[in-house]
Amino acid sequence: KNNEDETKITSAAIDTLKGFSNILNLKNELNWHEWVKILKLKVGAKSRGDAEQLIAFAKDHDKHPAFQQDIQNFTFSIFDIAIEAIKEYDDYKKQRGLIDYIDMEIQVKRLLDDPKVKSILSSELDLLMVDEFQDTSPIQLEIFLKLSKIAKHSVWVGDPKQSIYGFRGADPKLMLEIINASGGVKPEDIQEFSWRSREDIVNMSNALFSKAFSDIPNEQIVLNPKRTKLDNPNDPNFIAEPLEMNDAIIQWHFHYDGEGRMPARPWMENCIAHTLTRMLERETYILPKEENTKRRLQAGDIAILCRSNAECLQIAEALHRAGLKAAISRNGLLSTAESKLILACLKFILNPSDSLSVAEILLLAARMNIETIIESRLDFLEKLSNNINTSAWASENPIIEQLNNLRSQVVELSSAEILDLVLEELDLRRTISSWGKVQQRMDNIDELRKLALKYEEACNRLHTAASLGGMLLWLNELEKGKQDMQGSGEGTDAVNVMTYHKSKGLEWPVVICHSLEGGLRDNVWGINIESEPQTIDLDSILGNRWLRYWINPYADQQHNTPLIERINESEIKKRATQQALQEDARLLYVGITRARDYLIFPTRNKPTKWLNRIWHDGDESIPTLDHTSFESPWEWNGMDIIKDTPGDLIFPRDFPYSEPLEENIAYFNERAGKNYFPPLRIDINHETFDTEYLANTANAIRYDQGILIDDEVNQYIIAKMLKAFLIADNLNYSTDARLEMAEAFAERYGVTEGIDYQELTRISTSFYSFLKNNFSIKRMYRKYLVRVYFKDRLFEKIIDFVLETDDGLVIIQNSGFSGEEKSWTKKSKELFDFLFLAEVAILKTFEQQNIKSYVHFVLGAGIQQVLIKLKVSV
């Protein structure tokens, strides 16, 4: 009233408090509590009486009907929008003939109510097995219950202590009620032993969680360790613990080497990373799974568990700063250098005028600096403006030239095939690996290839065309939605970093439980599922359940408002707190039971709220771990559980930066391009080896006048028949037997007229008599198979005759040549290569140097020696 500024403030406050929407508009400026303080400070003494009514009104604004109506309208609008969105989504799917996973669950649930379906399944379904049932959603539970009534037998396997997916719809309370309604858990069905963890880890878990899970029978929590410190000769499955292993439970307590307040994040994460480096440097031993021999700890044996993805990123950065690699799944795949290079190549193939992609290729692949690229571009544009004939910008660059050549090859290829072609033809993996962080970059390339295939699968499902341009747009949408997940970079040299939720079902020799300082997440705002009945109806799991949605009218302000103070005193808040405590206990149980050999709790001079409230029934203020003592607060079966607490973990505010050691990646030699590689088998009819030997022929010798053949008879067939007969004939046979055999050969080769069978026997007799008279034969081999490698290639042929004589070895190869004697020399030369390789084979087989080769002209009844001198050493 008395001051213009006061009037403005008062008017603004009144207008603000009139409507809920206006309060929301101020959520980024001043909350209602701050407005009240301003009113108290600004209003003068004379006007304070008038302002008291306004201040009182401000304090009680949440009781105003208009304020409450605004909240109700907002809440109803949210549900109305959700209903319309679901209808629109259903229409979209029906128009395209699509169903999603929820549709499948709903349709299966409805089918199981159909008498015909139930009748068929009852005759076919003998056994139902449900694994990890604690992670199932209520609708899945209803499906399984319906199936269990149909099946003759059913087996359910699960652990309510590991039900940590409440945000996905899993309801631990619902599962416990189903267990109790089904008769409870039988003693013989309870897991009794732990085969994974060392004795102290198992006993510590027993002590901690038998107290935390007070609503679960003790026998369903406690496990007996198979890995014990003392020998147990009565147990054949006993796993001995190596003496070199240190205490299983470790507390790393970090001290600040400085004055003043303890540094904020990421000081704690840097301390963990540097202490982990020390642990890897000294001799720390583990016992690998399913092995009986210890070995030294490696980075890949370690997992650091965090409560949130943001904390995972901070830990990964701290590990990298300490010179360690981190295996972590995070988004940002398309913003990595390797993805930018690959996508630039794809964009340039799609559009040769994309100068930005050309610049990225020159920068990343050609390793040109930015200044050189800009100068090159400006020079090109200047020539273009002056009408100077020039080719496309940077077309002379080998990589750009190669991409231009590939463009014509990708016309009929899919987007995934184009990506693979670019990777292989440009050998981009070799280029990218030279940048360092090799394993991470190679994993990212694989993830990009998977996304290309995923895009094509999505197009197939939606019956839409897939294209390179479409894939690039699809990838761009993934990047906008932060769904472009990088490769995790897993390996023996990388520490595993992940959330507690993602660690479920896995195990590591060393587990570090981070995020122990986090507060309880017992927020009542948002959506919750409420169940009306106190007992569950097994015939209607989903019945009598409804959604409750509460909006916080003060945005992110969680304290110092009358509404929140009343909520904190309500039964709903108490129930939410109890549920959050149970969720916390289950999540910590999952994290602790991932450890095989060592379980590490990192602490500093701040309370470990998470661990404190689990051990002290929700009270976060009572410390659990004492960093000045090796004793832990836990004992089991009368035995105190000891922990190791190193006392030298003192760190400054700032940490040095160390580059991780890079291992060389093994590659094949760089590609030599298209080359001629000879086939394995030598083709003697189309190849020559005349550079490997010297050859000549001697005078031919005739041992008979030759066979008389009718001019109308095919001489080629006669020659084949005669060569076969010479191989089969034997002078020791009787004359009649030899004639009978000659007649049989003639019939086989279709030569029954125009030849005298006695001619065959006469030629054969003359041939063998010649051999007997000219060679002192000790043994004769007919149709002798030789198989030899000559200069890494295989020569495999049959030699007609090989003779072992007093003077060495003799090779005789039959020829069916029907020409005159003056042409025999020419024909013999055609067999030089064959005889050369035959001599090589015989030399290796018989290990004799003295070898003579002959060509036998069977139709002319003559033989000619071929003189071969090897140039090579065999």
Side-chain angles (χ1 to χ4, degrees), residues 572-609:
I572 290 178
K573 178 65 175 182
K574 293 178 182 178
R575 193 160 62 245
T577 300
Q578 188 60 32
Q579 290 175 352
L581 283 171
Q582 290 297 307
E583 178 80 11
D584 264 6
R586 291 191 295 269
L587 192 59
L588 189 60
Y589 176 82
V590 167
I592 286 175
T593 55
R594 300 309 96 198
R596 288 181 49 82
D597 299 317
Y598 299 99
L599 177 65
I600 300 174
F601 296 110
T603 63
R604 54 178 172 164
N605 290 329
K606 287 189 68 175
T608 55
K609 294 181 180 179

mmCIF file of all heavy atoms in Angstrom, residues 572-609:
data_model
loop_
_atom_site.group_PDB
_atom_site.id
_atom_site.type_symbol
_atom_site.label_atom_id
_atom_site.label_comp_id
_atom_site.label_asym_id
_atom_site.label_seq_id
_atom_site.Cartn_x
_atom_site.Cartn_y
_atom_site.Cartn_z
ATOM 1 N N ILE A 572 0.730 -43.932 3.680
ATOM 2 C CA ILE A 572 1.222 -44.179 2.322
ATOM 3 C C ILE A 572 2.725 -43.968 2.250
ATOM 4 O O ILE A 572 3.460 -44.745 1.634
ATOM 5 C CB ILE A 572 0.491 -43.262 1.322
ATOM 6 C CG1 ILE A 572 -0.953 -43.693 1.178
ATOM 7 C CG2 ILE A 572 1.195 -43.276 -0.040
ATOM 8 C CD1 ILE A 572 -1.775 -42.831 0.260
ATOM 9 N N LYS A 573 3.202 -42.905 2.930
ATOM 10 C CA LYS A 573 4.646 -42.645 2.944
ATOM 11 C C LYS A 573 5.385 -43.752 3.691
ATOM 12 O O LYS A 573 6.462 -44.204 3.260
ATOM 13 C CB LYS A 573 4.910 -41.292 3.609
ATOM 14 C CG LYS A 573 6.389 -40.943 3.730
ATOM 15 C CD LYS A 573 7.051 -40.759 2.371
ATOM 16 C CE LYS A 573 8.476 -40.285 2.532
ATOM 17 N NZ LYS A 573 9.131 -40.045 1.232
ATOM 18 N N LYS A 574 4.808 -44.182 4.798
ATOM 19 C CA LYS A 574 5.442 -45.276 5.547
ATOM 20 C C LYS A 574 5.525 -46.539 4.700
ATOM 21 O O LYS A 574 6.528 -47.246 4.715
ATOM 22 C CB LYS A 574 4.655 -45.540 6.834
ATOM 23 C CG LYS A 574 4.729 -44.400 7.843
ATOM 24 C CD LYS A 574 3.877 -44.705 9.076
ATOM 25 C CE LYS A 574 3.922 -43.516 10.055
ATOM 26 N NZ LYS A 574 3.049 -43.780 11.234
ATOM 27 N N ARG A 575 4.443 -46.805 3.950
ATOM 28 C CA ARG A 575 4.434 -47.990 3.087
ATOM 29 C C ARG A 575 5.459 -47.847 1.967
ATOM 30 O O ARG A 575 6.176 -48.796 1.633
ATOM 31 C CB ARG A 575 3.029 -48.202 2.529
ATOM 32 C CG ARG A 575 2.833 -49.555 1.888
ATOM 33 C CD ARG A 575 1.368 -49.931 1.774
ATOM 34 N NE ARG A 575 0.619 -49.017 0.931
ATOM 35 C CZ ARG A 575 -0.363 -48.225 1.370
ATOM 36 N NH1 ARG A 575 -0.714 -48.259 2.660
ATOM 37 N NH2 ARG A 575 -1.004 -47.411 0.555
ATOM 38 N N ALA A 576 5.559 -46.639 1.394
ATOM 39 C CA ALA A 576 6.538 -46.402 0.322
ATOM 40 C C ALA A 576 7.957 -46.540 0.854
ATOM 41 O O ALA A 576 8.844 -47.084 0.181
ATOM 42 C CB ALA A 576 6.324 -45.012 -0.270
ATOM 43 N N THR A 577 8.179 -46.056 2.104
ATOM 44 C CA THR A 577 9.509 -46.173 2.703
ATOM 45 C C THR A 577 9.872 -47.631 2.930
ATOM 46 O O THR A 577 11.004 -48.057 2.645
ATOM 47 C CB THR A 577 9.562 -45.400 4.032
ATOM 48 O OG1 THR A 577 9.285 -44.014 3.780
ATOM 49 C CG2 THR A 577 10.915 -45.542 4.697
ATOM 50 N N GLN A 578 8.910 -48.412 3.421
ATOM 51 C CA GLN A 578 9.179 -49.828 3.657
ATOM 52 C C GLN A 578 9.463 -50.565 2.355
ATOM 53 O O GLN A 578 10.380 -51.395 2.274
ATOM 54 C CB GLN A 578 7.980 -50.457 4.381
ATOM 55 C CG GLN A 578 8.219 -51.877 4.852
ATOM 56 C CD GLN A 578 9.381 -51.995 5.831
ATOM 57 O OE1 GLN A 578 9.639 -51.068 6.607
ATOM 58 N NE2 GLN A 578 10.090 -53.106 5.796
ATOM 59 N N GLN A 579 8.695 -50.240 1.322
ATOM 60 C CA GLN A 579 8.926 -50.873 0.017
ATOM 61 C C GLN A 579 10.293 -50.485 -0.540
ATOM 62 O O GLN A 579 11.007 -51.314 -1.114
ATOM 63 C CB GLN A 579 7.819 -50.468 -0.960
ATOM 64 C CG GLN A 579 6.467 -51.078 -0.642
ATOM 65 C CD GLN A 579 5.366 -50.562 -1.558
ATOM 66 O OE1 GLN A 579 5.584 -49.635 -2.354
ATOM 67 N NE2 GLN A 579 4.177 -51.117 -1.430
ATOM 68 N N ALA A 580 10.674 -49.208 -0.365
ATOM 69 C CA ALA A 580 11.973 -48.757 -0.852
ATOM 70 C C ALA A 580 13.111 -49.435 -0.098
ATOM 71 O O ALA A 580 14.139 -49.797 -0.676
ATOM 72 C CB ALA A 580 12.082 -47.236 -0.723
ATOM 73 N N LEU A 581 12.933 -49.623 1.220
ATOM 74 C CA LEU A 581 13.956 -50.324 2.008
ATOM 75 C C LEU A 581 14.116 -51.764 1.524
ATOM 76 O O LEU A 581 15.243 -52.269 1.416
ATOM 77 C CB LEU A 581 13.579 -50.307 3.490
ATOM 78 C CG LEU A 581 13.813 -48.985 4.243
ATOM 79 C CD1 LEU A 581 13.194 -49.038 5.631
ATOM 80 C CD2 LEU A 581 15.306 -48.669 4.328
ATOM 81 N N GLN A 582 13.007 -52.425 1.241
ATOM 82 C CA GLN A 582 13.080 -53.799 0.746
ATOM 83 C C GLN A 582 13.725 -53.850 -0.638
ATOM 84 O O GLN A 582 14.523 -54.747 -0.931
ATOM 85 C CB GLN A 582 11.678 -54.410 0.700
ATOM 86 C CG GLN A 582 11.079 -54.681 2.064
ATOM 87 C CD GLN A 582 11.895 -55.713 2.840
ATOM 88 O OE1 GLN A 582 12.166 -56.805 2.363
ATOM 89 N NE2 GLN A 582 12.299 -55.337 4.058
ATOM 90 N N GLU A 583 13.403 -52.865 -1.487
ATOM 91 C CA GLU A 583 14.027 -52.799 -2.814
ATOM 92 C C GLU A 583 15.526 -52.563 -2.669
ATOM 93 O O GLU A 583 16.335 -53.182 -3.378
ATOM 94 C CB GLU A 583 13.387 -51.669 -3.626
ATOM 95 C CG GLU A 583 13.973 -51.458 -5.007
ATOM 96 C CD GLU A 583 13.455 -52.447 -6.036
ATOM 97 O OE1 GLU A 583 12.488 -53.172 -5.726
ATOM 98 O OE2 GLU A 583 14.016 -52.506 -7.155
ATOM 99 N N ASP A 584 15.905 -51.690 -1.734
ATOM 100 C CA ASP A 584 17.322 -51.440 -1.469
ATOM 101 C C ASP A 584 18.033 -52.705 -1.021
ATOM 102 O O ASP A 584 19.151 -53.003 -1.447
ATOM 103 C CB ASP A 584 17.462 -50.357 -0.391
ATOM 104 C CG ASP A 584 17.661 -48.978 -1.003
ATOM 105 O OD1 ASP A 584 17.582 -48.870 -2.234
ATOM 106 O OD2 ASP A 584 17.896 -48.023 -0.252
ATOM 107 N N ALA A 585 17.396 -53.442 -0.136
ATOM 108 C CA ALA A 585 18.001 -54.672 0.385
ATOM 109 C C ALA A 585 18.178 -55.700 -0.722
ATOM 110 O O ALA A 585 19.224 -56.360 -0.820
ATOM 111 C CB ALA A 585 17.135 -55.243 1.514
ATOM 112 N N ARG A 586 17.166 -55.840 -1.569
ATOM 113 C CA ARG A 586 17.266 -56.805 -2.661
ATOM 114 C C ARG A 586 18.366 -56.411 -3.642
ATOM 115 O O ARG A 586 19.112 -57.260 -4.136
ATOM 116 C CB ARG A 586 15.911 -56.922 -3.376
ATOM 117 C CG ARG A 586 14.827 -57.585 -2.548
ATOM 118 C CD ARG A 586 13.604 -57.910 -3.383
ATOM 119 N NE ARG A 586 12.950 -56.726 -3.893
ATOM 120 C CZ ARG A 586 11.976 -56.067 -3.284
ATOM 121 N NH1 ARG A 586 11.536 -56.479 -2.098
ATOM 122 N NH2 ARG A 586 11.419 -55.000 -3.829
ATOM 123 N N LEU A 587 18.466 -55.112 -3.921
ATOM 124 C CA LEU A 587 19.473 -54.651 -4.875
ATOM 125 C C LEU A 587 20.884 -54.849 -4.319
ATOM 126 O O LEU A 587 21.793 -55.281 -5.045
ATOM 127 C CB LEU A 587 19.233 -53.176 -5.219
ATOM 128 C CG LEU A 587 20.004 -52.619 -6.403
ATOM 129 C CD1 LEU A 587 19.686 -53.390 -7.677
ATOM 130 C CD2 LEU A 587 19.708 -51.141 -6.607
ATOM 131 N N LEU A 588 21.071 -54.543 -3.027
ATOM 132 C CA LEU A 588 22.383 -54.747 -2.428
ATOM 133 C C LEU A 588 22.710 -56.239 -2.337
ATOM 134 O O LEU A 588 23.872 -56.637 -2.494
ATOM 135 C CB LEU A 588 22.437 -54.107 -1.041
ATOM 136 C CG LEU A 588 23.815 -54.059 -0.385
ATOM 137 C CD1 LEU A 588 24.792 -53.267 -1.243
ATOM 138 C CD2 LEU A 588 23.734 -53.468 1.018
ATOM 139 N N TYR A 589 21.705 -57.059 -2.112
ATOM 140 C CA TYR A 589 21.911 -58.515 -2.079
ATOM 141 C C TYR A 589 22.426 -59.012 -3.432
ATOM 142 O O TYR A 589 23.370 -59.804 -3.499
ATOM 143 C CB TYR A 589 20.594 -59.209 -1.727
ATOM 144 C CG TYR A 589 20.676 -60.726 -1.751
ATOM 145 C CD1 TYR A 589 21.175 -61.417 -0.658
ATOM 146 C CD2 TYR A 589 20.255 -61.444 -2.865
ATOM 147 C CE1 TYR A 589 21.257 -62.804 -0.659
ATOM 148 C CE2 TYR A 589 20.335 -62.827 -2.893
ATOM 149 C CZ TYR A 589 20.832 -63.505 -1.781
ATOM 150 O OH TYR A 589 20.926 -64.876 -1.811
ATOM 151 N N VAL A 590 21.831 -58.506 -4.503
ATOM 152 C CA VAL A 590 22.287 -58.881 -5.841
ATOM 153 C C VAL A 590 23.745 -58.467 -6.035
ATOM 154 O O VAL A 590 24.570 -59.238 -6.537
ATOM 155 C CB VAL A 590 21.388 -58.247 -6.921
ATOM 156 C CG1 VAL A 590 22.030 -58.352 -8.305
ATOM 157 C CG2 VAL A 590 20.023 -58.908 -6.925
ATOM 158 N N GLY A 591 24.088 -57.250 -5.624
ATOM 159 C CA GLY A 591 25.457 -56.768 -5.823
ATOM 160 C C GLY A 591 26.472 -57.566 -5.030
ATOM 161 O O GLY A 591 27.508 -57.987 -5.565
ATOM 162 N N ILE A 592 26.184 -57.814 -3.755
ATOM 163 C CA ILE A 592 27.139 -58.515 -2.892
ATOM 164 C C ILE A 592 27.343 -59.953 -3.356
ATOM 165 O O ILE A 592 28.464 -60.479 -3.335
ATOM 166 C CB ILE A 592 26.656 -58.458 -1.427
ATOM 167 C CG1 ILE A 592 26.875 -57.047 -0.879
ATOM 168 C CG2 ILE A 592 27.354 -59.499 -0.563
ATOM 169 C CD1 ILE A 592 26.330 -56.836 0.506
ATOM 170 N N THR A 593 26.284 -60.614 -3.794
ATOM 171 C CA THR A 593 26.389 -62.027 -4.193
ATOM 172 C C THR A 593 26.965 -62.210 -5.590
ATOM 173 O O THR A 593 27.026 -63.343 -6.074
ATOM 174 C CB THR A 593 25.019 -62.704 -4.103
ATOM 175 O OG1 THR A 593 24.057 -61.961 -4.881
ATOM 176 C CG2 THR A 593 24.549 -62.784 -2.668
ATOM 177 N N ARG A 594 27.391 -61.124 -6.247
ATOM 178 C CA ARG A 594 28.088 -61.265 -7.535
ATOM 179 C C ARG A 594 29.557 -61.634 -7.334
ATOM 180 O O ARG A 594 30.228 -62.070 -8.273
ATOM 181 C CB ARG A 594 28.046 -59.962 -8.343
ATOM 182 C CG ARG A 594 26.689 -59.409 -8.735
ATOM 183 C CD ARG A 594 25.800 -60.415 -9.387
ATOM 184 N NE ARG A 594 24.909 -61.021 -8.414
ATOM 185 C CZ ARG A 594 24.257 -62.159 -8.615
ATOM 186 N NH1 ARG A 594 24.423 -62.833 -9.731
ATOM 187 N NH2 ARG A 594 23.454 -62.654 -7.696
ATOM 188 N N ALA A 595 30.082 -61.441 -6.116
ATOM 189 C CA ALA A 595 31.521 -61.570 -5.865
ATOM 190 C C ALA A 595 31.896 -63.033 -5.637
ATOM 191 O O ALA A 595 31.218 -63.751 -4.882
ATOM 192 C CB ALA A 595 31.925 -60.739 -4.657
ATOM 193 N N ARG A 596 32.991 -63.446 -6.245
ATOM 194 C CA ARG A 596 33.523 -64.796 -6.054
ATOM 195 C C ARG A 596 34.651 -64.809 -5.016
ATOM 196 O O ARG A 596 34.626 -65.591 -4.088
ATOM 197 C CB ARG A 596 34.059 -65.356 -7.379
ATOM 198 C CG ARG A 596 32.990 -65.722 -8.387
ATOM 199 C CD ARG A 596 33.617 -66.303 -9.658
ATOM 200 N NE ARG A 596 34.591 -67.339 -9.343
ATOM 201 C CZ ARG A 596 34.286 -68.606 -9.070
ATOM 202 N NH1 ARG A 596 33.018 -68.982 -9.073
ATOM 203 N NH2 ARG A 596 35.233 -69.489 -8.813
ATOM 204 N N ASP A 597 35.659 -63.964 -5.206
ATOM 205 C CA ASP A 597 36.868 -64.026 -4.381
ATOM 206 C C ASP A 597 37.023 -62.835 -3.438
ATOM 207 O O ASP A 597 37.482 -62.998 -2.314
ATOM 208 C CB ASP A 597 38.101 -64.128 -5.282
ATOM 209 C CG ASP A 597 38.078 -65.385 -6.134
ATOM 210 O OD1 ASP A 597 37.739 -66.445 -5.595
ATOM 211 O OD2 ASP A 597 38.397 -65.299 -7.332
ATOM 212 N N TYR A 598 36.692 -61.639 -3.931
ATOM 213 C CA TYR A 598 36.884 -60.442 -3.110
ATOM 214 C C TYR A 598 35.661 -59.534 -3.245
ATOM 215 O O TYR A 598 35.163 -59.300 -4.352
ATOM 216 C CB TYR A 598 38.136 -59.673 -3.533
ATOM 217 C CG TYR A 598 39.416 -60.467 -3.404
ATOM 218 C CD1 TYR A 598 39.978 -61.088 -4.515
ATOM 219 C CD2 TYR A 598 40.066 -60.598 -2.171
ATOM 220 C CE1 TYR A 598 41.151 -61.827 -4.412
ATOM 221 C CE2 TYR A 598 41.239 -61.329 -2.048
ATOM 222 C CZ TYR A 598 41.772 -61.945 -3.178
ATOM 223 O OH TYR A 598 42.924 -62.668 -3.073
ATOM 224 N N LEU A 599 35.226 -59.003 -2.084
ATOM 225 C CA LEU A 599 34.123 -58.047 -2.038
ATOM 226 C C LEU A 599 34.661 -56.781 -1.385
ATOM 227 O O LEU A 599 35.119 -56.811 -0.239
ATOM 228 C CB LEU A 599 32.954 -58.614 -1.245
ATOM 229 C CG LEU A 599 31.754 -57.699 -1.053
ATOM 230 C CD1 LEU A 599 31.079 -57.395 -2.386
ATOM 231 C CD2 LEU A 599 30.746 -58.336 -0.086
ATOM 232 N N ILE A 600 34.603 -55.657 -2.129
ATOM 233 C CA ILE A 600 35.236 -54.420 -1.677
ATOM 234 C C ILE A 600 34.182 -53.349 -1.435
ATOM 235 O O ILE A 600 33.333 -53.091 -2.303
ATOM 236 C CB ILE A 600 36.271 -53.932 -2.712
ATOM 237 C CG1 ILE A 600 37.354 -54.998 -2.915
ATOM 238 C CG2 ILE A 600 36.894 -52.615 -2.269
ATOM 239 C CD1 ILE A 600 38.334 -54.668 -4.011
ATOM 240 N N PHE A 601 34.257 -52.706 -0.239
ATOM 241 C CA PHE A 601 33.390 -51.580 0.095
ATOM 242 C C PHE A 601 34.253 -50.321 0.135
ATOM 243 O O PHE A 601 35.050 -50.138 1.073
ATOM 244 C CB PHE A 601 32.725 -51.781 1.456
ATOM 245 C CG PHE A 601 31.788 -52.952 1.512
ATOM 246 C CD1 PHE A 601 32.119 -54.085 2.237
ATOM 247 C CD2 PHE A 601 30.585 -52.929 0.844
ATOM 248 C CE1 PHE A 601 31.262 -55.166 2.303
ATOM 249 C CE2 PHE A 601 29.714 -54.005 0.888
ATOM 250 C CZ PHE A 601 30.045 -55.134 1.615
ATOM 251 N N PRO A 602 34.133 -49.407 -0.826
ATOM 252 C CA PRO A 602 34.884 -48.142 -0.767
ATOM 253 C C PRO A 602 34.143 -47.127 0.103
ATOM 254 O O PRO A 602 32.935 -46.918 -0.046
ATOM 255 C CB PRO A 602 34.929 -47.705 -2.235
ATOM 256 C CG PRO A 602 33.726 -48.333 -2.863
ATOM 257 C CD PRO A 602 33.401 -49.563 -2.097
ATOM 258 N N THR A 603 34.858 -46.496 1.033
ATOM 259 C CA THR A 603 34.239 -45.516 1.930
ATOM 260 C C THR A 603 35.147 -44.309 2.070
ATOM 261 O O THR A 603 36.313 -44.327 1.671
ATOM 262 C CB THR A 603 33.982 -46.130 3.322
ATOM 263 O OG1 THR A 603 35.237 -46.492 3.909
ATOM 264 C CG2 THR A 603 33.100 -47.363 3.235
ATOM 265 N N ARG A 604 34.596 -43.253 2.662
ATOM 266 C CA ARG A 604 35.360 -42.049 3.018
ATOM 267 C C ARG A 604 34.681 -41.454 4.254
ATOM 268 O O ARG A 604 33.834 -42.123 4.868
ATOM 269 C CB ARG A 604 35.380 -41.060 1.851
ATOM 270 C CG ARG A 604 34.004 -40.693 1.329
ATOM 271 C CD ARG A 604 34.064 -39.682 0.225
ATOM 272 N NE ARG A 604 32.758 -39.476 -0.382
ATOM 273 C CZ ARG A 604 32.454 -38.441 -1.158
ATOM 274 N NH1 ARG A 604 33.373 -37.517 -1.416
ATOM 275 N NH2 ARG A 604 31.247 -38.320 -1.663
ATOM 276 N N ASN A 605 35.023 -40.234 4.599
ATOM 277 C CA ASN A 605 34.448 -39.632 5.807
ATOM 278 C C ASN A 605 33.040 -39.097 5.541
ATOM 279 O O ASN A 605 32.725 -37.929 5.812
ATOM 280 C CB ASN A 605 35.354 -38.519 6.320
ATOM 281 C CG ASN A 605 36.638 -39.072 6.892
ATOM 282 O OD1 ASN A 605 36.654 -40.180 7.421
ATOM 283 N ND2 ASN A 605 37.715 -38.320 6.783
ATOM 284 N N LYS A 606 32.217 -39.932 5.007
ATOM 285 C CA LYS A 606 30.796 -39.661 4.818
ATOM 286 C C LYS A 606 30.058 -40.953 5.125
ATOM 287 O O LYS A 606 30.568 -42.047 4.858
ATOM 288 C CB LYS A 606 30.487 -39.200 3.388
ATOM 289 C CG LYS A 606 30.948 -37.795 3.064
ATOM 290 C CD LYS A 606 30.415 -37.335 1.714
ATOM 291 C CE LYS A 606 28.924 -37.128 1.718
ATOM 292 N NZ LYS A 606 28.413 -36.561 0.453
ATOM 293 N N PRO A 607 28.854 -40.887 5.659
ATOM 294 C CA PRO A 607 28.142 -42.115 6.038
ATOM 295 C C PRO A 607 27.747 -42.949 4.812
ATOM 296 O O PRO A 607 27.335 -42.413 3.792
ATOM 297 C CB PRO A 607 26.901 -41.598 6.771
ATOM 298 C CG PRO A 607 26.724 -40.189 6.303
ATOM 299 C CD PRO A 607 28.097 -39.666 6.019
ATOM 300 N N THR A 608 27.894 -44.249 4.961
ATOM 301 C CA THR A 608 27.448 -45.180 3.906
ATOM 302 C C THR A 608 25.964 -45.460 4.150
ATOM 303 O O THR A 608 25.579 -46.519 4.669
ATOM 304 C CB THR A 608 28.263 -46.479 3.948
ATOM 305 O OG1 THR A 608 28.185 -47.035 5.265
ATOM 306 C CG2 THR A 608 29.717 -46.219 3.593
ATOM 307 N N LYS A 609 25.136 -44.512 3.755
ATOM 308 C CA LYS A 609 23.714 -44.546 4.104
ATOM 309 C C LYS A 609 23.034 -45.841 3.656
ATOM 310 O O LYS A 609 22.216 -46.404 4.389
ATOM 311 C CB LYS A 609 23.007 -43.340 3.478
ATOM 312 C CG LYS A 609 23.440 -42.001 4.029
ATOM 313 C CD LYS A 609 22.661 -40.873 3.353
ATOM 314 C CE LYS A 609 23.080 -39.513 3.882
ATOM 315 N NZ LYS A 609 22.331 -38.411 3.211
#
